[in-house]
Amino acid sequence: MTASRIPTIAEELRGAGLRVTAARVALLETVREGDHLGVEAIAAGVRDRVGHISLQAVYEALHALTAAGLIRRIEPAGSPARFEGRVGDNHHHVVCRSCGAVADVDCAVGEAPCLTASDDHGFSIDEAEVVYWGLCSTCSTARSS
């Protein structure tokens, strides 16, 4: 019995039908190592890995990787887009109203009740996006002091 091997980023890109470039590899590494990063933070991470890259090239790579399902784009209301490497599950997010911190929240274990809409309007629902809003522990503590 052989242990299953985790594919390399280059293999993931090829498997998604994308050309392997140093910028795409660096971008995917940056997003996966980060925590709901914005475009500027991703661009800085890519530049740290490969040197100069234009912001336009970062946007184009983000679009390609999102379309291929290798990363996920989230857009909390009133915030710029953020990207994460956690894909393929139906998880949600909690957002701090004060500082904008974002954290993952797992969907209910077992049957995902959030996928059962009160009226599906004829849609075949396969994903739900729930955003919880509040204050993170740091902002909550600062506000109560």
Side-chain angles (χ1 to χ4, degrees):
M1 183 172 171
T2 59
S4 61
R5 185 178 68 78
I6 297 172
T8 65
I9 288 179
E11 290 169 336
E12 288 183 72
L13 289 167
R14 283 187 202 99
L18 297 173
R19 202 166 40 90
V20 177
T21 65
R24 284 181 176 167
V25 170
L27 191 143
L28 196 48
E29 289 172 344
T30 299
V31 170
R32 288 182 175 170
E33 291 172 8
D35 186 22
H36 305 97
L37 299 174
V39 175
E40 292 291 339
I42 294 169
V46 172
R47 288 181 186 121
D48 287 346
R49 287 175 163 81
V50 298
H52 178 74
I53 185 169
S54 71
L55 202 52
Q56 182 62 36
V58 170
Y59 275 107
E60 289 170 2
L62 286 169
H63 177 74
L65 294 175
T66 300
L70 295 176
I71 62 175
R72 181 177 176 193
R73 175 187 175 120
I74 64 167
E75 293 184 64
S79 299
R82 296 181 185 213
F83 297 85
E84 65 179 338
R86 184 174 171 183
V87 296
D89 66 351
N90 191 48
H91 73 278
H92 308 300
H93 297 95
V94 60
V95 181
C96 180
R97 290 185 189 278
S98 182
C99 70
V102 178
D104 290 335
V105 177
D106 290 331
C107 195
V109 177
E111 181 186 339
C114 54
L115 292 181
T116 306
S118 60
D119 184 350
D120 64 18
H121 298 277
F123 283 69
S124 175
I125 298 173
D126 62 5
E127 182 178 358
E129 187 172 310
V130 176
V131 178
Y132 301 95
W133 293 88
L135 294 177
C136 68
S137 59
T138 302
C139 292
S140 184
T141 301
R143 189 170 273 185
S144 65
S145 332

